Coordinates of all heavy atoms in Angstrom, one line a residue:
M24 N 70.8 -6.5 30.1 CA 69.6 -7.2 29.9 C 69.5 -8.3 31.0 O 70.4 -9.1 31.1 CB 69.7 -7.9 28.5 CG 68.5 -8.6 28.0 SD 68.6 -9.4 26.4 CE 69.2 -8.2 25.4
S25 N 68.4 -8.3 31.7 CA 68.2 -9.3 32.8 C 67.6 -10.6 32.3 O 67.1 -10.7 31.2 CB 67.3 -8.7 33.9 OG 66.0 -8.6 33.3
D26 N 67.8 -11.6 33.0 CA 67.4 -13.0 32.7 C 66.2 -13.3 33.6 O 66.2 -14.4 34.1 CB 68.6 -13.9 32.9 CG 68.3 -15.3 32.2 OD1 67.3 -15.4 31.5 OD2 69.0 -16.2 32.6
D27 N 65.2 -12.4 33.8 CA 64.1 -12.7 34.6 C 62.8 -12.9 33.9 O 61.8 -12.9 34.5 CB 63.9 -11.5 35.6 CG 63.8 -10.2 35.0 OD1 63.7 -10.1 33.7 OD2 63.7 -9.2 35.7
N28 N 62.9 -13.2 32.6 CA 61.7 -13.5 31.8 C 61.1 -14.7 32.4 O 61.8 -15.7 32.7 CB 62.1 -13.7 30.4 CG 60.9 -13.9 29.5 OD1 60.1 -14.8 29.6 ND2 60.9 -13.0 28.4
K29 N 59.7 -14.8 32.5 CA 59.1 -16.0 33.1 C 59.3 -17.2 32.3 O 59.3 -18.3 32.9 CB 57.6 -15.7 33.3 CG 56.8 -15.7 32.0 CD 55.3 -15.5 32.3 CE 54.5 -15.6 31.0 NZ 53.1 -15.6 31.2
Y30 N 59.6 -17.1 31.0 CA 59.9 -18.3 30.2 C 61.4 -18.8 30.4 O 61.8 -19.8 29.9 CB 59.6 -18.1 28.8 CG 58.2 -17.7 28.6 CD1 57.8 -16.5 28.3 CD2 57.2 -18.7 28.7 CE1 56.4 -16.2 28.1 CE2 55.8 -18.4 28.6 CZ 55.5 -17.2 28.2 OH 54.1 -16.9 28.1
L31 N 62.2 -18.0 31.1 CA 63.6 -18.2 31.2 C 64.0 -18.3 32.6 O 65.1 -18.0 33.0 CB 64.4 -17.1 30.5 CG 64.0 -16.7 29.1 CD1 64.8 -15.5 28.6 CD2 64.2 -17.9 28.2
G32 N 63.1 -18.8 33.5 CA 63.3 -18.9 34.9 C 64.6 -19.5 35.3 O 65.2 -20.4 34.6
K33 N 65.2 -19.1 36.5 CA 66.4 -19.6 37.0 C 66.4 -21.1 37.2 O 67.4 -21.8 37.1 CB 66.8 -18.9 38.2 CG 67.1 -17.5 38.0 CD 68.3 -17.2 37.2 CE 68.6 -15.7 37.1 NZ 69.6 -15.4 36.1
N34 N 65.2 -21.7 37.5 CA 65.2 -23.2 37.7 C 65.1 -24.0 36.5 O 65.2 -25.2 36.5 CB 64.0 -23.5 38.6 CG 64.1 -22.9 40.0 OD1 65.2 -22.7 40.5 ND2 63.0 -22.5 40.6
T35 N 64.9 -23.3 35.3 CA 64.9 -24.0 34.1 C 66.3 -24.3 33.6 O 67.1 -23.4 33.6 CB 64.1 -23.2 33.0 OG1 62.9 -22.8 33.5 CG2 64.0 -23.9 31.7
P36 N 66.6 -25.5 33.2 CA 68.0 -25.8 32.7 C 68.3 -24.9 31.5 O 67.5 -24.5 30.7 CB 67.9 -27.3 32.2 CG 66.7 -27.8 33.0 CD 65.8 -26.7 33.2
A37 N 69.6 -24.5 31.4 CA 70.0 -23.6 30.4 C 69.7 -24.1 29.0 O 69.3 -23.2 28.2 CB 71.6 -23.4 30.5
I38 N 69.8 -25.3 28.7 CA 69.6 -25.8 27.4 C 68.1 -25.6 27.0 O 67.7 -25.2 25.9 CB 69.9 -27.3 27.2 CG1 69.9 -27.7 25.7 CG2 69.1 -28.2 28.0 CD1 71.1 -27.4 24.9
R39 N 67.2 -25.8 28.0 CA 65.8 -25.6 27.8 C 65.5 -24.1 27.6 O 64.6 -23.8 26.7 CB 65.0 -26.1 29.0 CG 63.6 -26.0 29.0 CD 63.0 -27.2 28.2 NE 62.4 -26.7 27.0 CZ 62.3 -27.3 25.8 NH1 62.8 -28.5 25.7 NH2 61.7 -26.7 24.8
R40 N 66.2 -23.2 28.3 CA 66.0 -21.8 28.1 C 66.4 -21.4 26.7 O 65.8 -20.6 26.1 CB 66.8 -21.0 29.2 CG 66.1 -21.2 30.5 CD 66.7 -20.4 31.6 NE 68.1 -20.7 31.8 CZ 69.1 -19.9 32.4 NH1 68.8 -18.7 32.7 NH2 70.3 -20.4 32.5
V41 N 67.5 -22.0 26.2 CA 68.0 -21.7 24.8 C 66.9 -22.1 23.8 O 66.6 -21.4 22.9 CB 69.3 -22.3 24.5 CG1 69.7 -22.2 23.1 CG2 70.4 -21.7 25.4
V42 N 66.4 -23.3 24.0 CA 65.3 -23.8 23.1 C 64.1 -23.0 23.2 O 63.5 -22.7 22.1 CB 65.0 -25.3 23.5 CG1 63.7 -25.8 22.8 CG2 66.2 -26.2 23.2
N43 N 63.7 -22.5 24.4 CA 62.5 -21.7 24.5 C 62.8 -20.4 23.7 O 61.8 -19.9 23.0 CB 62.2 -21.3 26.0 CG 61.7 -22.5 26.7 OD1 61.3 -23.5 26.1 ND2 61.7 -22.4 28.0
C44 N 63.9 -19.8 23.8 CA 64.3 -18.6 23.1 C 64.3 -18.8 21.6 O 63.7 -17.9 20.8 CB 65.6 -18.0 23.5 SG 65.7 -17.4 25.2
L45 N 64.8 -19.9 21.1 CA 64.8 -20.2 19.7 C 63.4 -20.4 19.2 O 63.1 -19.9 18.1 CB 65.7 -21.4 19.4 CG 67.2 -21.2 19.7 CD1 68.0 -22.5 19.5 CD2 67.8 -20.1 18.8
N46 N 62.6 -21.0 20.0 CA 61.2 -21.2 19.6 C 60.5 -19.8 19.5 O 59.7 -19.6 18.6 CB 60.4 -22.1 20.6 CG 60.8 -23.6 20.4 OD1 61.2 -24.0 19.3 ND2 60.7 -24.3 21.5
A47 N 60.7 -19.0 20.5 CA 60.1 -17.6 20.5 C 60.6 -16.8 19.3 O 59.8 -16.1 18.7 CB 60.4 -16.9 21.8
E48 N 61.9 -17.0 18.9 CA 62.4 -16.3 17.8 C 61.7 -16.7 16.5 O 61.3 -15.9 15.7 CB 63.9 -16.6 17.6 CG 64.5 -15.9 16.4 CD 65.9 -16.4 16.1 OE1 66.5 -17.2 16.8 OE2 66.5 -15.9 15.1
K49 N 61.4 -18.0 16.4 CA 60.7 -18.5 15.2 C 59.3 -18.0 15.2 O 58.7 -17.7 14.1 CB 60.6 -20.0 15.2 CG 62.0 -20.7 14.8 CD 62.0 -22.1 15.0 CE 60.9 -22.9 14.2 NZ 61.0 -24.3 14.3
R50 N 58.6 -17.8 16.3 CA 57.2 -17.3 16.3 C 57.1 -15.8 16.3 O 56.0 -15.3 15.9 CB 56.5 -17.8 17.7 CG 56.3 -19.3 17.7 CD 55.4 -19.7 18.8 NE 55.9 -19.1 20.1 CZ 56.6 -19.9 21.0 NH1 56.9 -21.1 20.7 NH2 57.0 -19.3 22.1
A51 N 58.1 -15.1 16.5 CA 58.0 -13.6 16.6 C 57.7 -13.1 15.2 O 58.2 -13.5 14.2 CB 59.3 -13.0 17.1
L52 N 56.9 -12.1 15.2 CA 56.4 -11.5 13.9 C 57.3 -10.3 13.5 O 57.5 -10.0 12.3 CB 55.0 -11.1 14.0 CG 54.0 -12.2 14.3 CD1 52.6 -11.7 14.4 CD2 54.1 -13.3 13.2
H53 N 57.8 -9.5 14.5 CA 58.5 -8.3 14.2 C 60.0 -8.6 14.4 O 60.5 -9.3 15.3 CB 58.0 -7.2 15.1 CG 56.6 -6.9 14.9 ND1 56.1 -6.1 13.9 CD2 55.5 -7.2 15.7 CE1 54.9 -6.0 13.9 NE2 54.4 -6.6 15.0
G54 N 60.8 -7.9 13.6 CA 62.2 -8.0 13.6 C 62.9 -7.7 14.9 O 63.8 -8.4 15.3
E55 N 62.4 -6.7 15.6 CA 63.0 -6.4 16.9 C 62.8 -7.5 18.0 O 63.6 -7.7 18.8 CB 62.4 -5.1 17.4 CG 60.9 -5.1 17.7 CD 60.3 -3.7 17.9 OE1 60.7 -2.8 17.1 OE2 59.5 -3.5 18.8
F56 N 61.6 -8.2 17.9 CA 61.4 -9.3 18.8 C 62.2 -10.5 18.4 O 62.8 -11.2 19.3 CB 59.9 -9.7 18.9 CG 59.0 -8.6 19.4 CD1 58.0 -8.1 18.7 CD2 59.2 -8.1 20.7 CE1 57.2 -7.0 19.2 CE2 58.5 -7.1 21.2 CZ 57.4 -6.6 20.5
K57 N 62.4 -10.8 17.1 CA 63.2 -11.9 16.7 C 64.7 -11.6 17.1 O 65.3 -12.5 17.6 CB 63.2 -12.0 15.1 CG 61.9 -12.6 14.6 CD 62.0 -12.7 13.1 CE 60.8 -13.3 12.5 NZ 60.6 -14.7 12.8
H58 N 65.1 -10.4 17.0 CA 66.5 -10.0 17.4 C 66.6 -10.2 18.9 O 67.7 -10.7 19.3 CB 66.7 -8.5 17.0 CG 68.1 -8.0 17.3 ND1 69.2 -8.4 16.6 CD2 68.5 -7.2 18.3 CE1 70.3 -7.9 17.1 NE2 69.9 -7.1 18.1
Y59 N 65.7 -9.8 19.7 CA 65.7 -9.9 21.1 C 65.9 -11.4 21.5 O 66.8 -11.7 22.3 CB 64.5 -9.4 21.8 CG 64.4 -9.7 23.3 CD1 65.1 -9.1 24.3 CD2 63.6 -10.8 23.7 CE1 65.0 -9.4 25.6 CE2 63.5 -11.2 25.0 CZ 64.2 -10.5 25.9 OH 64.1 -10.9 27.3
W60 N 65.0 -12.3 21.0 CA 65.1 -13.7 21.4 C 66.4 -14.3 20.9 O 66.9 -15.2 21.5 CB 63.9 -14.4 20.8 CG 62.6 -14.0 21.6 CD1 61.5 -13.4 21.1 CD2 62.4 -14.3 23.0 NE1 60.6 -13.3 22.1 CE2 61.1 -13.8 23.3 CE3 63.1 -14.9 24.0 CZ2 60.5 -13.8 24.5 CZ3 62.5 -14.9 25.3 CH2 61.3 -14.4 25.5
K61 N 66.8 -13.9 19.7 CA 68.1 -14.5 19.1 C 69.3 -14.1 20.0 O 70.1 -15.0 20.4 CB 68.3 -14.0 17.7 CG 69.6 -14.5 17.1 CD 69.7 -14.0 15.7 CE 70.9 -14.6 15.0 NZ 71.1 -14.1 13.6
N62 N 69.3 -12.8 20.4 CA 70.4 -12.4 21.3 C 70.3 -13.0 22.7 O 71.4 -13.4 23.2 CB 70.4 -10.8 21.4 CG 70.9 -10.1 20.2 OD1 71.5 -10.8 19.4 ND2 70.6 -8.9 20.1
T63 N 69.1 -13.2 23.2 CA 69.0 -13.8 24.5 C 69.4 -15.3 24.5 O 70.1 -15.7 25.3 CB 67.5 -13.7 25.0 OG1 67.1 -12.4 25.0 CG2 67.3 -14.3 26.4
A64 N 69.1 -16.0 23.4 CA 69.5 -17.4 23.2 C 71.0 -17.5 23.1 O 71.6 -18.3 23.8 CB 68.8 -18.0 22.0
Q65 N 71.6 -16.6 22.4 CA 73.1 -16.5 22.2 C 73.8 -16.2 23.6 O 74.8 -16.9 23.9 CB 73.5 -15.5 21.2 CG 73.1 -16.0 19.8 CD 73.4 -14.9 18.7 OE1 73.5 -13.7 19.0 NE2 73.4 -15.3 17.4
K66 N 73.2 -15.3 24.3 CA 73.8 -15.0 25.6 C 73.8 -16.1 26.6 O 74.8 -16.5 27.2 CB 73.0 -13.8 26.2 CG 73.6 -13.3 27.5 CD 72.8 -12.2 28.1 CE 71.8 -12.8 29.0 NZ 71.0 -11.9 29.8
I67 N 72.6 -16.8 26.7 CA 72.5 -18.0 27.6 C 73.4 -19.1 27.1 O 74.1 -19.7 27.9 CB 71.0 -18.5 27.6 CG1 70.1 -17.4 28.2 CG2 70.9 -19.7 28.4 CD1 68.6 -17.7 28.1
A68 N 73.5 -19.3 25.8 CA 74.3 -20.4 25.3 C 75.8 -20.1 25.6 O 76.5 -21.0 26.0 CB 74.1 -20.5 23.8
K69 N 76.2 -18.9 25.4 CA 77.6 -18.5 25.7 C 77.9 -18.6 27.1 O 79.0 -19.2 27.5 CB 77.9 -17.0 25.2 CG 79.3 -16.6 25.4 CD 79.5 -15.2 24.8 CE 80.9 -14.8 25.0 NZ 81.1 -13.4 24.6
T70 N 77.0 -18.2 28.0 CA 77.3 -18.2 29.4 C 77.4 -19.6 29.9 O 78.2 -19.9 30.8 CB 76.1 -17.5 30.2 OG1 76.0 -16.2 29.7 CG2 76.3 -17.5 31.7
N71 N 76.6 -20.5 29.3 CA 76.6 -21.9 29.8 C 77.3 -22.9 28.9 O 77.1 -24.1 29.0 CB 75.1 -22.4 29.9 CG 74.4 -21.6 31.0 OD1 74.6 -21.9 32.2 ND2 73.7 -20.6 30.6
D72 N 78.1 -22.4 28.0 CA 78.9 -23.2 27.0 C 78.1 -24.2 26.3 O 78.4 -25.4 26.3 CB 80.0 -23.9 27.8 CG 81.1 -24.4 26.9 OD1 81.3 -23.8 25.9 OD2 81.8 -25.4 27.3
I73 N 77.0 -23.7 25.6 CA 76.2 -24.5 24.8 C 76.4 -24.2 23.4 O 76.4 -23.0 23.0 CB 74.7 -24.3 25.2 CG1 74.4 -24.7 26.7 CG2 73.7 -25.0 24.3 CD1 73.1 -24.3 27.2
D74 N 76.5 -25.2 22.5 CA 76.7 -25.1 21.1 C 75.3 -24.7 20.5 O 74.5 -25.6 20.2 CB 77.3 -26.3 20.5 CG 77.5 -26.2 19.0 OD1 77.2 -25.1 18.4 OD2 78.1 -27.2 18.4
I75 N 75.0 -23.4 20.2 CA 73.7 -23.0 19.8 C 73.4 -23.5 18.4 O 72.3 -23.8 18.0 CB 73.6 -21.5 19.9 CG1 72.1 -21.1 19.8 CG2 74.4 -20.8 18.8 CD1 71.8 -19.7 20.2
K76 N 74.5 -23.7 17.5 CA 74.2 -24.2 16.2 C 73.7 -25.6 16.3 O 72.8 -26.0 15.5 CB 75.5 -24.2 15.4 CG 75.9 -22.8 15.0 CD 77.2 -22.8 14.2 CE 77.7 -21.4 13.9 NZ 78.9 -21.4 13.1
R77 N 74.2 -26.4 17.2 CA 73.8 -27.8 17.3 C 72.4 -27.9 17.9 O 71.5 -28.7 17.4 CB 74.7 -28.5 18.3 CG 74.4 -30.0 18.5 CD 75.5 -30.7 19.3 NE 75.0 -32.0 19.7 CZ 75.5 -32.7 20.7 NH1 76.4 -32.1 21.5 NH2 75.0 -33.8 21.0
V78 N 72.0 -27.0 18.8 CA 70.7 -26.9 19.3 C 69.7 -26.5 18.2 O 68.7 -27.1 18.1 CB 70.6 -25.9 20.5 CG1 69.1 -25.8 21.0 CG2 71.4 -26.4 21.7
K79 N 70.1 -25.5 17.4 CA 69.2 -25.1 16.3 C 68.9 -26.2 15.3 O 67.8 -26.3 14.8 CB 69.8 -23.9 15.6 CG 69.4 -22.5 16.1 CD 69.9 -21.4 15.2 CE 69.3 -20.1 15.6 NZ 69.7 -19.0 14.7
S80 N 70.0 -26.9 15.0 CA 69.8 -28.0 14.0 C 69.0 -29.2 14.5 O 68.5 -30.0 13.8 CB 71.2 -28.5 13.5 OG 71.9 -29.1 14.5
N81 N 68.9 -29.3 15.9 CA 68.1 -30.4 16.5 C 66.9 -29.9 17.3 O 66.4 -30.5 18.2 CB 69.0 -31.2 17.4 CG 70.1 -31.9 16.6 OD1 69.8 -32.7 15.8 ND2 71.3 -31.6 17.0
L82 N 66.4 -28.7 16.9 CA 65.3 -28.1 17.7 C 64.1 -29.0 17.8 O 63.5 -29.0 18.9 CB 65.0 -26.7 17.0 CG 64.3 -25.7 17.9 CD1 65.0 -25.4 19.1 CD2 64.1 -24.4 17.1
E83 N 63.7 -29.7 16.8 CA 62.6 -30.6 16.8 C 62.8 -31.6 17.9 O 61.8 -32.0 18.5 CB 62.3 -31.2 15.4 CG 61.9 -30.2 14.4 CD 63.1 -29.5 13.8 OE1 64.2 -29.9 13.9 OE2 62.8 -28.4 13.2
L84 N 64.0 -32.2 18.0 CA 64.2 -33.2 19.0 C 64.1 -32.6 20.4 O 63.5 -33.3 21.3 CB 65.6 -33.8 18.9 CG 65.9 -34.6 17.6 CD1 67.4 -35.0 17.6 CD2 65.0 -35.8 17.6
Y85 N 64.5 -31.4 20.7 CA 64.4 -30.8 22.0 C 62.9 -30.5 22.3 O 62.5 -30.7 23.4 CB 65.2 -29.5 22.1 CG 66.7 -29.8 22.1 CD1 67.5 -29.5 21.1 CD2 67.3 -30.3 23.3 CE1 68.9 -29.7 21.1 CE2 68.6 -30.5 23.4 CZ 69.4 -30.2 22.3 OH 70.8 -30.5 22.4
N86 N 62.2 -30.1 21.3 CA 60.8 -29.8 21.5 C 60.0 -31.1 21.7 O 59.1 -31.2 22.6 CB 60.2 -29.1 20.3 CG 60.7 -27.7 20.3 OD1 60.9 -27.1 21.3 ND2 60.8 -27.1 19.0
A87 N 60.3 -32.2 21.0 CA 59.6 -33.5 21.2 C 59.9 -34.0 22.6 O 59.1 -34.6 23.2 CB 60.1 -34.5 20.1
E88 N 61.2 -33.8 23.0 CA 61.6 -34.3 24.3 C 60.8 -33.7 25.4 O 60.4 -34.4 26.4 CB 63.1 -34.0 24.5 CG 63.7 -34.5 25.8 CD 65.2 -34.1 25.8 OE1 65.9 -34.6 25.0 OE2 65.5 -33.3 26.7
T89 N 60.5 -32.5 25.3 CA 59.6 -31.8 26.4 C 58.2 -32.3 26.4 O 57.7 -32.5 27.4 CB 59.6 -30.3 26.1 OG1 61.0 -29.8 26.1 CG2 58.8 -29.5 27.1
E90 N 57.7 -32.5 25.2 CA 56.3 -32.9 25.1 C 56.2 -34.4 25.7 O 55.2 -34.6 26.4 CB 55.8 -32.9 23.6 CG 55.7 -31.5 23.1 CD 55.4 -31.5 21.6 OE1 55.1 -32.6 21.0 OE2 55.5 -30.4 21.0
S91 N 57.1 -35.2 25.4 CA 57.0 -36.6 25.8 C 57.3 -36.7 27.3 O 56.8 -37.6 28.0 CB 57.9 -37.5 25.1 OG 59.3 -37.1 25.3
S92 N 58.1 -35.8 27.9 CA 58.4 -35.9 29.3 C 57.3 -35.4 30.2 O 57.3 -35.7 31.4 CB 59.7 -35.0 29.6 OG 59.4 -33.7 29.4
S93 N 56.3 -34.7 29.6 CA 55.2 -34.2 30.5 C 54.2 -35.3 30.7 O 53.3 -35.2 31.5 CB 54.5 -33.0 29.8 OG 54.0 -33.4 28.6
Y94 N 54.3 -36.4 30.0 CA 53.4 -37.6 30.2 C 54.0 -38.6 31.1 O 55.2 -38.9 30.9 CB 53.0 -38.2 28.9 CG 52.3 -37.3 27.9 CD1 52.9 -36.6 26.8 CD2 50.9 -37.0 28.1 CE1 52.3 -35.8 26.0 CE2 50.3 -36.1 27.3 CZ 50.9 -35.5 26.3 OH 50.3 -34.6 25.4
H95 N 53.3 -39.0 32.1 CA 53.9 -40.0 33.0 C 53.5 -41.4 32.7 O 52.6 -41.8 32.2 CB 53.4 -39.7 34.4 CG 54.0 -38.4 34.9 ND1 53.2 -37.3 34.9 CD2 55.2 -38.0 35.3 CE1 53.9 -36.2 35.3 NE2 55.1 -36.7 35.6

């Protein structure tokens, strides 16, 4: 499985990529897509030593951080 998805670009920090995957998992309507995003998030988290349970429990904080950082 390659990591060339446009939402998971190499210049995006790993934690952000995990958050993007978890958000996509929540929005996915079909089980196969949910499974894909969940596995991708787990793979990125494992590769980059990120505690995915902690990220999942604070997902709203990570999402709010992105929204506020886009305003200068």
Side-chain angles (χ1 to χ4, degrees):
M24 187 181 306
S25 68
D26 192 14
D27 57 3
N28 186 302
K29 70 177 182 173
Y30 299 107
L31 309 174
K33 295 293 184 190
N34 294 330
T35 306
I38 189 83
R39 183 79 246 150
R40 293 187 293 158
V41 170
V42 170
N43 289 347
C44 288
L45 293 174
N46 286 332
E48 179 191 0
K49 283 173 57 174
R50 288 191 308 263
L52 300 177
H53 298 283
E55 63 195 41
F56 295 120
K57 286 184 179 290
H58 182 72
Y59 168 80
W60 288 116
K61 181 179 181 178
N62 284 346
T63 303
Q65 289 172 341
K66 184 183 91 173
I67 295 168
K69 183 178 179 184
T70 302
N71 294 281
D72 196 29
I73 296 170
D74 183 356
I75 197 166
K76 288 180 184 178
R77 185 172 168 206
V78 174
K79 265 188 171 179
S80 66
N81 293 301
L82 202 52
E83 293 79 19
L84 292 176
Y85 288 107
N86 288 329
E88 185 179 295
T89 301
E90 291 171 13
S91 65
S92 67
S93 64
Y94 298 103
H95 294 102

